[in-house]
Amino acid sequence: MMTQYLGLKAEAQDCLLFYRMGDFFELFMDDARIAAGVLDIALTARGEHEGKPIPMCGVPVHAATVYLQRLIKAGHRVAIAEQVESPAEAKARGGSKALVARAIVRVVTAGTLTEEALLDARSDNWCVAIGEAGGSVAIAAADVSTGRFEIVEVAGDAVEAELARLGAAEVVASEASAFEEAATTLRPKIDFDSGAGEARLKRLYGVATLDGFGQFGRARLAAAGGLVAYLEHNAKGTMPFLRPPRIGRAAETMAIDAATRESLELTCTTGGVRKGSLLDAVDRTVTGAGARLLGADLGAPLMDKAAIDARLDLVRLFHDDQAARERLRSTLRALPDIGRALGRLAAGRGGPRDLGQLRDGLDGAWSLGERMDAIGDPPVLLRDIAPRLRGHGALIDLLKRALVPSPPIEASDGGYIAAGYDAALDDLRDAGAGGRRAIAALEAEFRTATGVTALKIRHNGVLGYHVEVPARAADPLMKPESGFTHRQTLAGVVRFNTPALHEVAAKVSQAGAHALAAEAAHLEELTAQALAGREAIAATADALARLDVAAGLAERAAEGAWARPSLVDHACFEIEGGRHPVVEAAVAKSGDRFVANDCNLSEASRLWLVTGPNMGGKSTFLRQNALIAVLAQAGSYVPATKATLGLVDRLFSRVGASDNLARGRSTFMVEMVETAAILAQATPRSFVILDEVGRGTSTYDGLAIAWAVVEAIHEDNRCRCLFATHYHELTRLAERCEALSLHHVRAREWKGELVLLHELADGPADRSYGLAVARLAGMSPVTVARAKAVLAKLEAGRAKTGGLAAGLDDLPLFAAAAQVEEAACDVLREDLAKLDIDAMSPRDALDALYRLKALANEG
């Protein structure tokens, strides 16, 4: 046995091996040690290997899903080795001592799950592959639980952002990949060959050319081929359902890097949980598929104005008609998740209940389609998706006739094919029922004949049907002439068999086995019928999800008095009464009212410098406007009384920071890296929020950096930007930067107490109120008094010297300074370019060096 196990373990490589032995999956050696620690189960020993006891632990097959869930969550991969022949077949093959053959039938990983118990119903589960070819990079992503398959080519420096958007459960890359650190699993380089990838895709979809799916570059073929190869390796012959790939372009959606996603907490908080995120605050969907689609929408806001307006028109339909919205949501709430049911059936892990979910889901979708067709002058998006709700009439009718109203999860016990669907199956069931009646009659007859009123006919998996009597009444049945044959003696009972019982039991068992086989054949046939229309079923699942998202967003907008945003072609950002959706919900729970604020960024005022005290609401104001941009371009109403904004191509947030010790980066280093990325990538169509840039270093360094960043944003990037700071010296830039506008969050001191008003007002703050905030935080009066004395000294010194910003008014603006430096460098370059070094004598070279040094000093 251990020889067989070790061979399978070598095939499983770094996976934990679940080795089937009867009713248990057993783990041995290091696998057992790891699993016992993660699962908190007993570690025992069995036999010896190389003279040492073999560590061992096991989990029941019927409860394996629960244990798999814990192992996968702990970051492990699990190979399942099943018995692929029965003991009788093994005996016929190799004699009485032949070992039952086993084989790895599946590799369970975080990105290839389909089981309900292992998945979050309200989140996608992406398995991602990174492909590289010809200097290009592409990402292929598949959610095998629903069949979604996307391929997008990205810049090398945008890979991290794309992975953050997807929230990938598993990332696969080549062993020779430049993105090895981003991968959770490395595969052989040959799997990512673009030529082999093209062949795999053609074979998977049964086509001679991929032209019908879109344009495939070599990097896209490499990524898709690597992903398909990985899924084939894990599936061990049962390839999961993959819909035709959607070829995406990075320019189709708003670019949001990983740091910005984390800072804004779009789909999960910085702690990694959904509660407290934008998605949690917005989500009013009633189906798992709708919640997954809403998360995808918020993670990838659109750049196509027509597509955004189409989503908004559908939201408006249900926002303006409360009755229609409530009917739709009530209908959707009752429908099963047909997308994931289809995924389980396609992966060979489905059962009767999944077919029942398809029947009920498609039937409900059909009725919903009829109601949608009755809507007069429907929005464009509804006209597009409504036909997908119908068209499965034959399959619905078949499943209604074939299945019982509530099919079981497991097929092994039968009972899921409806009476009247198959006359032969009904006859087998009748035969089995007749046999069971005959057994009941035999039991009564045996009681009369023996006089043992406690006699019962029972059944188990070892003895089958047998007679059971109390031990005290067994003696008469033990006599040879009794007609009973002794089978087993246990504490308190004795078990017997008789020829009459054996004959009736054989008929019952035979009829039952034939009935189970007939039902299994029907299950296979019905599954094949359903999978024949899987593309159309998946489209129906998508249509239901889109309706759920629209109705959910309409519900959220109605309950929060949100407004429909207006998208325009020029770069503006006009918000009246804007609120932060997450903070507003938290404030409402405490019984307080959120203070709304306006924001008006235009060409003449595209950079706002916001000052004011800590806890005054600067960070909230910055974040709420970034979130409004995300919601608007995702196709949602926004938390404001009015909103008009130009499309945002890139969103950047530099709000708060923490150490990244794993990469050897301090808080300040993280801040500078993120700020550098913004200055390098932001365009005039971007939206940037910057909070306290420069605070992580010395005061002079911090002010200098903040000053330069403000100038760069204003002069070079020319994007819409909200810049919050405590450096009041920066307000001087308003005199020199025509598109910079000064604003502050209001605060007042009343009877020695600081009152934070959370209102935004024009102009700079009169002071920072730092000492008042310290007192509010509970700092001791002695310490606050000492700080006040120190502050008085510092301010007196600042008045004499001109303060931190002394002399900065004489500096040229950012662009002009850069031109001066560039010009000086150009003179040096020109002089260097004229030198013919190979023809110079040592004396000539020395003279040239002195001349160049003089030029540098002049610059």
Side-chain angles (χ1 to χ4, degrees):
M1 187 199 78
M2 287 308 298
T3 301
Q4 183 188 69
Y5 170 82
L6 291 172
L8 292 170
K9 178 58 184 173
E11 182 183 344
Q13 297 178 342
D14 60 341
C15 299
L16 301 179
L17 180 63
F18 269 30
Y19 182 84
R20 179 73 178 264
M21 294 179 66
D23 292 333
F24 279 79
F25 283 121
E26 304 290 359
L27 298 98
F28 298 96
M29 300 181 179
D30 288 342
D31 286 3
R33 294 189 185 96
I34 294 170
V38 173
L39 303 176
D40 193 23
I41 57 178
L43 183 66
T44 60
R46 172 181 176 138
E48 291 187 350
H49 179 67
E50 297 179 350
K52 296 180 181 179
I54 302 172
M56 170 185 172
C57 68
V59 301
V61 170
H62 72 272
T65 299
V66 176
Y67 294 101
L68 278 174
Q69 183 179 35
R70 292 168 64 183
L71 289 170
I72 296 300
K73 190 174 182 179
H76 297 288
R77 302 163 70 238
V78 181
I80 307 293
E82 285 279 8
Q83 297 173 181
V84 292
E85 64 178 357
S86 67
E89 291 170 332
K91 185 176 180 180
R93 171 177 54 80
S96 59
K97 294 186 178 181
L99 186 66
V100 174
R102 293 172 175 83
I104 295 176
V105 297
R106 179 189 175 197
V107 177
V108 185
T109 68
T112 58
L113 303 174
T114 56
E115 292 86 348
E116 271 185 294
L118 301 181
L119 291 167
D120 180 354
R122 302 184 74 80
S123 299
D124 289 316
N125 195 64
W126 292 107
C127 184
V128 171
I130 305 173
E132 303 146 83
S136 299
V137 182
I139 285 179
D143 184 343
V144 300
S145 69
T146 59
R148 289 176 62 191
F149 188 15
E150 299 179 2
I151 308 170
V152 60
E153 193 164 324
V154 298
D157 58 4
V159 169
E160 187 178 359
E162 188 66 13
L163 295 178
R165 175 184 75 83
L166 294 166
E170 194 169 5
V171 180
V172 186
S174 162
E175 292 172 336
S177 173
F179 302 96
E180 179 180 346
E181 287 189 4
T184 57
T185 303
L186 297 177
R187 298 289 300 161
K189 184 178 178 180
I190 188 63
D191 285 358
F192 291 83
D193 177 77
S194 59
E198 181 176 9
R200 280 195 192 95
L201 289 175
K202 289 178 178 177
R203 185 170 62 249
L204 176 65
Y205 294 107
V207 295
T209 176
L210 300 177
D211 292 347
F213 300 137
Q215 295 298 314
F216 285 84
R218 287 181 58 207
R220 287 174 176 165
L221 289 172
L227 181 59
V228 171
Y230 182 67
L231 296 178
E232 288 176 342
H233 167 76
N234 286 355
K236 301 298 180 183
T238 307
M239 185 67 181
F241 170 43
L242 288 184
R243 299 166 68 178
R246 176 186 172 276
I247 310 300
R249 295 183 301 110
E252 292 176 346
T253 59
M254 180 193 295
I256 310 175
D257 61 30
T260 299
R261 289 180 188 278
E262 182 179 11
S263 169
L264 296 178
E265 299 181 312
L266 296 182
T267 55
C268 65
T269 65
T270 52
V273 297
R274 193 175 191 269
K275 186 71 175 175
S277 67
L278 173 66
L279 175 59
D280 177 61
V282 171
D283 189 5
R284 297 296 182 272
T285 58
V286 294
T287 70
R292 296 194 297 270
L293 181 58
L294 177 61
D297 287 351
L298 293 178
L302 300 176
M303 282 298 297
D304 184 335
K305 183 176 176 296
I308 297 169
D309 282 333
R311 288 184 184 179
L312 289 170
D313 286 343
L314 188 58
V315 174
R316 182 178 62 186
L317 172 69
F318 300 118
H319 176 270
D320 295 348
D321 189 339
Q322 181 181 354
R325 181 173 77 246
E326 290 177 352
R327 286 196 302 272
L328 172 61
R329 286 165 58 79
S330 177
T331 299
L332 290 172
R333 190 178 284 110
L335 296 184
D337 194 337
I338 61 175
R340 285 195 164 167
L342 179 65
R344 288 189 291 273
L345 290 168
R349 298 169 205 142
R353 192 178 73 163
D354 294 306
L355 285 173
Q357 288 184 338
L358 286 190
R359 172 198 62 197
D360 299 341
L362 294 175
D363 190 32
W366 180 284
S367 301
L368 196 55
E370 290 184 325
R371 279 169 34 199
M372 295 299 104
D373 286 344
I375 294 175
D377 192 22
V380 173
L381 190 52
L382 184 60
R383 286 201 298 270
D384 179 46
I385 66 176
R388 304 181 203 168
L389 298 171
R390 305 173 68 175
H392 307 285
L395 179 61
I396 295 169
D397 179 65
L398 173 64
L399 295 178
K400 279 185 174 180
R401 289 186 294 106
L403 297 173
V404 297
S406 299
I409 296 175
E410 297 293 336
S412 55
D413 294 332
Y416 47 86
I417 297 298
Y421 178 70
D422 180 353
L425 174 60
D426 291 344
D427 290 342
L428 289 171
R429 286 172 171 169
D430 287 343
R436 285 188 290 275
R437 286 192 294 271
I439 287 174
L442 269 178
E443 184 179 79
E445 182 182 326
F446 289 159
R447 285 177 179 174
T448 302
T450 61
V452 180
T453 56
L455 181 148
K456 295 182 182 298
I457 294 179
R458 299 189 181 278
H459 181 275
N460 65 31
V462 177
L463 298 181
Y465 285 98
H466 58 275
V467 174
E468 183 177 284
V469 298
R472 64 179 182 277
D475 288 346
L477 280 68
M478 297 288 283
K479 296 177 181 179
E481 67 274 14
S482 68
F484 291 86
T485 304
H486 176 255
R487 294 298 305 277
Q488 192 176 41
T489 299
L490 300 174
V493 296
V494 182
R495 292 168 173 172
F496 300 88
N497 201 353
T498 74
L501 177 59
H502 179 75
E503 182 179 347
V504 174
K507 292 179 180 178
V508 172
S509 298
Q510 188 176 36
H514 288 171
L516 285 175
E519 287 201 73
H522 285 309
L523 178 64
E524 185 175 345
E525 179 185 348
L526 293 171
T527 300
Q529 290 279 351
L531 293 180
R534 55 189 174 186
E535 295 296 338
I537 294 173
T540 299
D542 288 348
L544 291 171
R546 178 53 66 195
L547 286 174
D548 188 22
V549 168
L553 291 175
E555 180 76 11
R556 184 66 184 91
E559 72 180 40
W562 289 12
R564 173 174 177 158
S566 175
L567 283 304
V568 295
D569 294 325
H570 59 283
C572 70
F573 199 88
E574 300 169 7
I575 307 297
E576 293 182 14
R579 288 111 60 199
H580 191 301
V582 180
V583 177
E584 183 180 28
V587 167
K589 285 183 180 179
S590 65
D592 294 328
R593 182 180 65 86
F594 186 91
V595 179
N597 280 296
D598 299 346
C599 181
N600 190 349
L601 301 176
S602 61
E603 184 57 35
S605 178
R606 51 183 155 78
L607 173 54
W608 277 25
L609 197 66
V610 183
T611 54
N614 284 313
M615 299 177 61
K618 297 192 301 297
S619 296
T620 298
F621 176 72
L622 266 59
R623 282 189 172 99
Q624 76 187 34
N625 286 292
L627 295 181
I628 285 173
V630 169
L631 288 169
Q633 289 183 220
S636 168
Y637 279 35
V638 298
T641 55
K642 185 178 180 181
T644 303
L645 58 153
L647 291 177
V648 174
D649 66 346
R650 292 172 175 267
L651 180 65
F652 295 98
S653 170
R654 226 307 318 150
V655 179
S658 59
D659 291 343
N660 190 333
L661 300 180
R663 294 191 179 183
R665 292 176 177 174
S666 66
T667 300
F668 182 65
M669 183 62 174
V670 171
E671 178 184 326
M672 290 299 97
V673 167
E674 294 175 3
T675 305
I678 293 171
L679 296 180
Q681 299 174 38
T683 74
R685 299 182 68 197
S686 300
F687 187 81
V688 176
I689 60 173
L690 292 163
D691 192 9
E692 304 294 355
V693 169
R695 65 181 170 183
T697 186
S698 73
T699 304
Y700 282 102
D701 282 356
L703 174 59
I705 291 169
W707 187 287
V709 169
V710 171
E711 286 187 342
I713 291 285
H714 184 274
E715 298 295 314
D716 284 358
N717 300 104
R718 305 182 70 81
C719 57
R720 290 160 288 180
C721 176
L722 300 175
F723 192 112
T725 185
H726 277 100
Y727 292 126
H728 290 265
E729 293 79 4
L730 295 178
T731 58
R732 296 188 185 182
L733 283 167
E735 302 167 7
R736 316 167 67 194
C737 301
E738 73 282 355
L740 188 149
S741 179
L742 301 180
H743 303 268
H744 70 279
V745 288
R746 294 181 61 213
R748 288 288 181 269
E749 283 193 273
W750 175 255
K751 296 182 179 180
E753 294 296 325
L754 179 66
V755 180
L756 301 170
L757 302 177
H758 304 294
E759 294 177 0
L760 203 72
D762 294 337
D766 54 353
R767 54 197 179 95
S768 66
Y769 297 96
L771 299 186
V773 172
R775 186 168 56 248
L776 189 65
M779 188 174 287
S780 69
V782 174
T783 306
V784 173
R786 176 58 178 165
K788 188 173 183 179
V790 173
L791 177 62
K793 283 284 188 182
L794 292 174
E795 288 183 336
R798 181 172 62 181
K800 292 179 181 178
T801 62
L804 289 175
L808 290 183
D809 293 338
D810 298 330
L811 280 175
L813 278 174
F814 183 87
Q819 290 171 5
V820 170
E821 291 177 8
E822 187 63 33
C825 291
D826 284 343
V827 173
L828 286 172
R829 288 194 187 99
E830 290 172 7
D831 217 20
L832 281 168
K834 295 174 183 176
L835 297 180
D836 184 358
I837 296 174
D838 292 333
M840 294 174 72
S841 67
R843 180 66 186 178
D844 293 337
L846 185 60
D847 291 341
L849 184 58
Y850 277 116
R851 187 171 66 256
L852 292 172
K853 184 178 180 181
L855 279 173
N857 289 334
E858 291 173 8

